[in-house]
Amino acid sequence: MSVTIDITGLTPERVHVVPSPLAELGMALHALSETGHHPGLQGWASAVNARLDQSLADRLCEADFLWRTTFSDVFAPFAGIPGKRTLPGATLAEELDQLDKLTDEQFVDAALEFTCQLAYDQNRVTDPLNDPAMGRHALELAAARGEHQVAFTERLLDDPPAVRGWFRQLMQDCDEAFFSDTWARLSHQLAADARHKTELLRRKGLGEALKAMSGAVTLDEEARRITVDKMASGHTRTAEGGLVLVPTSLGWPHVMVLHRYGWQSSITYPIRSPGLTEPASVEQLTRRMAALSHPVRMRLCRHLARGAYTTGELADAHGMTAPEISRHLSVLKKAELITTRRRGRYVQHQLDLGVVSRLGSEFIEGVLR
């Protein structure tokens, strides 16, 4: 599973690395509502939640599905502007002005996409605002997700301008309440990362810049295709538009690809912090979990967690033949769960406790990515 971007014809001058205040505000709101996804931000989230005005907190609850479970494209309005060449604004006010430039149909479609799971990257524009059947379908899907979603969907379909005004005011109030201070602290770090990636683009090319962004993002130069390793499937193409790479300080472990039909392609990636390891690929994670699903290999892991053993020692301990043990060890080694070292004429195997200890967090990172 992955999301791919066809970059055939994309020229270097149409690739930009630009921080986005509105996207970072969306990340901040997500971190506030899903602190379990971001353990490193729990102190910040607790401090912000403690000083939030109750009225603002209640208003945030009305639309938290726009950022809680995933991220609505209303936080990336630059991508929806015709021509697919617009960049994120330098300030939150500029990006809210960009949001105002979207049509009601674009805003409604983007706001309902994650709320109601309407079609996303299929080769047609969805229009629940003017298609009665699609509007009814949106309400049906919203009903299965809760009263807040139903109320929001009804308001959005009945009076898009009113909801758009309400949303803009909500973002401005969040900026005044907490985000302006957060952005002042983070913007320099994001700008520095953007400059670094831009320099990599200029000197070493797109492949190196993407590699520096995240191990989950790769470029196939020959096929002219970017692949983002995710537990989701999707496809888009830059065509005559651009590609925007948006760094975030609050988004780890999420790597998000905007691949909405008709919108500019964009990748939002977390900037690296000390102590963060490279993410395991979905294929690698699947291989590791499959390797541990066999009871014999689980028993072998119990032995190998306590020390280094030869194939013969493991065969004697488990009442199996050396070739049988070797086959199981081969599976564990392919999954990169064990290490091997030679001592004279003996080869010893041991469980890599560092890798195994990360399996739980790697699974969480993989499904959230």
Side-chain angles (χ1 to χ4, degrees):
M1 293 179 286
S2 61
V3 178
T4 61
I5 304 174
D6 182 342
I7 59 169
T8 302
L10 181 68
T11 55
E13 62 269 15
R14 287 192 275 129
V15 181
H16 299 275
V17 189
V18 187
S20 164
L22 184 56
E24 197 71 348
L25 175 52
M27 290 291 189
L29 292 171
H30 171 70
L32 288 173
S33 58
E34 287 288 0
T35 54
H37 293 187
H38 308 273
L41 297 176
Q42 286 185 353
W44 169 83
S46 297
V48 171
N49 281 321
R51 69 173 191 263
L52 269 187
D53 176 81
Q54 188 59 50
S55 174
L56 178 56
D58 291 342
R59 288 159 59 207
L60 287 173
C61 289
E62 291 183 47
D64 69 348
F65 39 82
L66 293 177
W67 54 77
R68 177 183 285 273
T69 54
T70 186
F71 306 91
S72 169
D73 288 341
V74 297
F75 291 101
F78 68 90
I81 294 176
K84 299 196 288 187
R85 299 282 187 94
T86 304
L87 300 180
T91 66
L92 182 64
E94 288 179 23
E95 292 201 284
L96 291 175
D97 287 343
Q98 290 178 341
L99 188 62
D100 289 342
K101 293 179 181 179
L102 300 185
T103 65
D104 283 346
E105 288 77 11
Q106 285 179 302
F107 183 88
V108 170
D109 189 33
L112 289 181
E113 183 265 315
F114 289 119
T115 303
C116 301
Q117 297 295 302
L118 297 179
Y120 187 73
D121 62 353
Q122 60 182 346
N123 293 326
R124 65 185 180 90
V125 176
T126 57
D127 189 2
L129 194 58
N130 297 304
D131 185 328
M134 193 168 289
R136 288 193 297 271
H137 183 53
L139 286 168
E140 289 171 1
L141 292 172
R145 296 176 66 84
E147 294 180 0
H148 287 316
Q149 284 88 337
V150 173
F152 182 82
T153 303
E154 288 176 340
R155 289 167 54 203
L156 191 58
L157 295 175
D158 290 343
D159 193 353
V163 175
R164 296 179 68 163
W166 176 86
F167 181 79
R168 178 176 181 130
Q169 187 61 56
L170 180 63
M171 295 301 101
Q172 290 173 331
D173 291 345
C174 286
D175 188 47
E176 182 179 346
F178 68 89
F179 184 68
S180 60
D181 292 339
T182 300
W183 180 251
R185 178 171 54 85
L186 298 178
S187 58
H188 302 294
Q189 184 183 19
L190 295 173
D193 186 84
R195 287 193 298 271
H196 173 62
K197 300 299 191 299
T198 299
E199 184 66 11
L200 281 176
L201 277 169
R202 186 180 69 82
R203 296 175 64 87
K204 297 187 177 181
L206 180 59
E208 287 299 314
L210 295 176
K211 183 179 178 181
M213 278 170 38
S214 170
V217 185
T218 56
L219 171 66
D220 185 330
E221 289 275 12
E222 185 175 345
R224 300 300 291 161
R225 182 177 62 244
I226 296 171
T227 300
V228 183
D229 187 53
K230 293 176 69 71
M231 289 189 181
S233 298
H235 178 74
T236 189
R237 54 197 295 266
T238 55
E240 296 303 314
L243 172 65
V244 181
L245 310 175
V246 181
T248 170
S249 285
L250 302 176
W252 185 87
H254 309 297
V255 178
M256 297 176 298
V257 188
L258 196 162
H259 54 105
R260 176 181 295 278
Y261 176 70
W263 287 42
Q264 183 176 195
S265 302
S266 174
I267 302 174
T268 300
Y269 66 93
I271 64 174
R272 293 185 179 176
S273 300
L276 293 183
T277 60
E278 276 295 317
S281 68
V282 172
E283 179 184 2
Q284 193 176 38
L285 178 59
T286 302
R287 192 162 55 238
R288 287 173 178 172
M289 297 183 76
L292 294 174
S293 66
H294 197 287
V296 170
R297 291 194 285 271
M298 284 292 286
R299 290 198 296 272
L300 287 174
C301 285
R302 184 176 183 276
H303 252 101
L304 298 172
R306 288 163 168 76
Y309 294 92
T310 67
T311 301
E313 288 176 313
L314 293 169
D316 289 341
H318 292 270
M320 300 172 67
T321 65
E324 288 176 321
I325 292 294
S326 291
R327 284 194 292 272
H328 286 296
L329 290 175
S330 177
V331 174
L332 292 171
K333 188 171 183 179
K334 187 175 181 181
E336 300 177 5
L337 292 171
I338 62 173
T339 59
T340 300
R341 65 186 180 189
R342 180 173 290 277
R343 288 287 180 87
R345 65 189 183 92
Y346 296 102
V347 176
Q348 296 179 324
H349 313 280
Q350 189 165 15
L351 193 67
D352 190 329
L353 293 177
V355 172
V356 176
S357 67
R358 275 190 47 80
L359 270 178
S361 59
E362 283 182 343
F363 176 74
I364 294 172
E365 292 164 17
V367 296
L368 290 179
R369 186 185 303 147

